[in-house]
Amino acid sequence: MKHTLSVLVDNEPGVLARVAGLFSRRSFNIDSLAVGTTEDPKYSRMTIVVDGETHSLEQVTKQLHKLINVLKINDLDPKETVERELVLIKVNAPSSTRAQIIEIVDIFRANIVDVAKNTLTIEVTGNTNKVHAIEEMLRPYGIKELVRTGKIALTRGLKSG
C-alpha cells in the first residue's frame, strides 16, 4: 500500500541525508521524495511516498520522531489531501505529428515550454493519474526524455500536514 508522508524538518544541512538513511536502513524504498522550504524559511517540508505495510511504516515513523531535526510527521489520507506533481516530457514531434501532439497537450491542459525542429518539451502538473495518462498518450510518438518532481501534498482545509 502506498503511503504519502509529510515530514516537517529543520531547514539545515544533512537533515535530508539522515531521513533518507533511516528509510534505507529499514529497507524501505522511497518511490518519490520532494523537499522545499515552507512559509517559514527555518523549516522544510518533505513529501515522501513509500510502499509498505502500515505496521512497518509505523516503526519507521517512530524512528523518524527520534531524529532531532524532525518536527512533525503525518501519513496523509488521500481523501483529505491535495496532491500534485510536475513533469517535463520531451517528445519526438516532426511536422507530420506535431498537430496531434499539440491536441493532446490541450486536452490535458498541459503547456509546451520548448519547441525545437523535431521535439516538443511539455510541462504537465496534476495528480498521478493525470500524469500517467498523458505519458501513455505521448508514448507512441516517442518520449526522448522525462523528468518528474515527485509528489507534493498538503491536507485540505485548516488542518496542517
Side-chain angles (χ1 to χ4, degrees):
M1 179 178 181
K2 298 269 186 203
H3 293 269
T4 303
L5 300 177
S6 176
V7 182
L8 187 65
V9 298
D10 290 326
N11 186 14
E12 294 180 5
V15 174
L16 174 61
R18 286 191 286 278
V19 170
L22 194 143
F23 277 89
S24 174
R25 285 191 301 278
R26 294 289 181 161
S27 298
F28 267 89
N29 185 35
I30 296 175
D31 288 348
S32 78
L33 171 67
V35 184
T37 56
T38 65
E39 67 282 1
D40 185 340
K42 293 187 298 188
Y43 307 112
S44 291
R45 183 175 311 278
M46 298 180 179
T47 305
I48 305 169
V49 179
V50 293
D51 194 7
E53 297 297 323
T54 302
H55 176 70
S56 300
L57 190 63
E58 285 175 11
Q59 297 298 316
V60 172
T61 56
K62 285 179 182 174
Q63 294 294 315
L64 280 174
H65 278 293
K66 292 180 181 177
L67 296 177
I68 293 170
N69 300 107
V70 173
L71 307 171
K72 188 175 182 182
I73 305 166
N74 275 340
D75 187 358
L76 299 176
D77 180 349
K79 294 178 211 156
E80 298 179 16
T81 304
V82 177
E83 63 180 54
R84 293 290 182 269
E85 188 172 358
L86 170 65
V87 181
L88 294 175
I89 305 171
K90 186 183 296 181
V91 63
N92 284 326
S95 59
S96 61
T97 61
R98 191 165 288 220
Q100 297 165 344
I101 293 169
I102 291 170
E103 189 174 328
I104 292 169
V105 169
D106 289 342
I107 289 169
F108 282 90
R109 296 184 185 148
N111 298 307
I112 296 171
V113 293
D114 185 61
V115 178
K117 184 176 179 185
N118 289 312
T119 62
L120 294 173
T121 302
I122 299 158
E123 171 194 75
V124 184
T125 56
N127 64 29
T128 303
N129 291 338
K130 177 182 176 180
V131 169
H132 180 71
I134 192 169
E135 183 182 335
E136 289 307 310
M137 292 296 292
L138 293 173
R139 189 168 302 284
Y141 298 98
I143 294 175
K144 303 282 288 178
E145 291 182 74
L146 185 146
V147 63
R148 303 172 86 129
T149 61
K151 186 189 295 187
I152 57 170
L154 287 175
T155 56
R156 294 181 186 274
L158 293 175
K159 282 185 173 178
S160 64

